[in-house]
Amino acid sequence: KFDGVPLPMDRGARDAHRAELGIDTDALVVVFGSTRPGDELRAIKIWRLLRVRLPDICLVIAPRHLDRIPEVVNLFSELVVLRSKIRNNATGESRQAIILDTHGELLSIYSIASVAVIGGSFDATIQGQNPIEPAAMGVPVVFGPHMRNFAGAAESLVASGAAVRVKDSGEMEQEVSNLLGDTQRRTRMGRRGEEVVAKNRGALDRTMEILDRLSLPKNSDRPRV
């Protein structure tokens, strides 16, 4: 998992991606990634609360399964746009709620986040989605109490200070709000996430080295099993 994510995007690429989506360069963005049923309601609730003091905050929801897109859209009473409908932001419109309904763009979406919340982590029957991707993009990560699917990565990120584990939706709302108000902490967490990912890279190369050492010479006299 650590080997499968790219290095963080540079600032220019991130700003260009924000402009394409109609998100201001300096706007705060909360991304709820790989969401499952129940996560979207949490996302919309906190977005509505935050808009009281941060009227320009942008919410991006990336459902884990795209066949749930109509269901997610129907949860909004506000204007929301599908990622597939945005074509290089030709109208110059500023957007505040986006649903990712395309394949292969979640890493790019994480790269523009101020804070990322991991879907499936508040449901004991799901046990969380991948927290490595936003960490690799230098983004502070927040997830719930259920991360068994990515237990090792989750523990490493929390231990390093790159991620925060919360016990419920109420704690998540408070933690996200606190992070959005603390630029220095977000920067610090993002750097630590990048460091954790970089430190844990190379598993494939190490595995191949071990396999090479275990391989028998071509002319070995050792009997075959």
Side-chain angles (χ1 to χ4, degrees):
K1 291 293 184 180
F2 285 100
D3 285 351
V5 290
L7 296 173
M9 293 185 182
D10 61 36
R11 180 62 184 266
R14 295 182 193 211
D15 289 350
H17 196 46
R18 279 181 171 238
E20 177 186 357
L21 296 174
I23 300 174
D24 293 339
T25 300
D26 298 324
L28 293 169
V29 180
V30 180
V31 174
F32 278 71
S34 296
T35 58
R36 299 296 191 94
D39 289 328
E40 295 88 10
L41 286 174
R42 294 182 182 92
I44 294 169
K45 179 184 177 184
I46 190 172
W47 178 59
R48 288 169 177 164
L49 290 171
L50 290 169
R51 289 179 73 190
V52 174
R53 64 181 177 86
L54 301 169
D56 296 328
I57 192 169
C58 179
L59 171 68
V60 182
I61 295 177
R64 173 68 174 167
H65 300 115
L66 297 189
D67 59 357
R68 296 187 55 244
I69 295 296
E71 170 192 341
V72 177
V73 171
N74 287 335
L75 296 174
F76 283 86
S77 57
E78 301 86 354
L79 177 64
V80 61
V81 64
L82 299 179
R83 167 66 182 100
S84 62
K85 302 298 183 183
I86 303 174
R87 300 299 179 193
N88 295 316
N89 196 30
T91 63
E93 182 181 359
S94 180
R95 298 182 174 86
Q96 289 187 285
I98 299 172
I99 297 176
L100 185 64
D101 63 335
T102 56
H103 289 286
E105 284 196 284
L106 184 53
L107 269 172
S108 296
I109 290 296
Y110 276 141
S111 78
I112 65 171
S114 306
V115 177
V117 182
I118 304 302
S121 62
F122 295 89
D123 190 331
T125 67
I126 297 173
Q127 290 291 334
Q129 301 296 155
N130 191 350
I132 300 170
E133 293 175 338
M137 294 293 103
V139 175
V141 182
V142 176
F143 45 74
H146 306 294
M147 287 292 290
R148 189 172 61 223
N149 292 335
F150 294 88
E155 292 300 329
S156 294
L157 292 171
V158 171
S160 72
V164 177
R165 186 194 301 269
V166 297
K167 66 180 182 181
D168 54 31
S169 296
E171 275 197 5
M172 180 270 289
E173 292 168 8
Q174 187 61 55
E175 195 61 52
V176 170
S177 179
N178 290 343
L179 280 167
L180 292 176
D182 192 337
T183 303
Q184 291 185 346
R185 185 183 173 207
R186 293 201 311 273
T187 300
R188 185 167 61 249
M189 289 180 68
R191 287 175 179 166
R192 288 176 179 173
E194 293 175 12
E195 291 169 359
V196 169
V197 175
K199 181 180 178 180
N200 284 278
R201 286 181 182 276
L204 178 59
D205 290 340
R206 290 194 293 273
T207 300
M208 294 305 296
E209 288 174 6
I210 293 170
L211 290 175
D212 284 343
R213 291 199 298 270
L214 293 175
S215 297
L216 291 173
K218 290 183 179 180
N219 298 323
S220 174
D221 294 329
R222 184 176 174 179
R224 295 184 181 183
V225 178

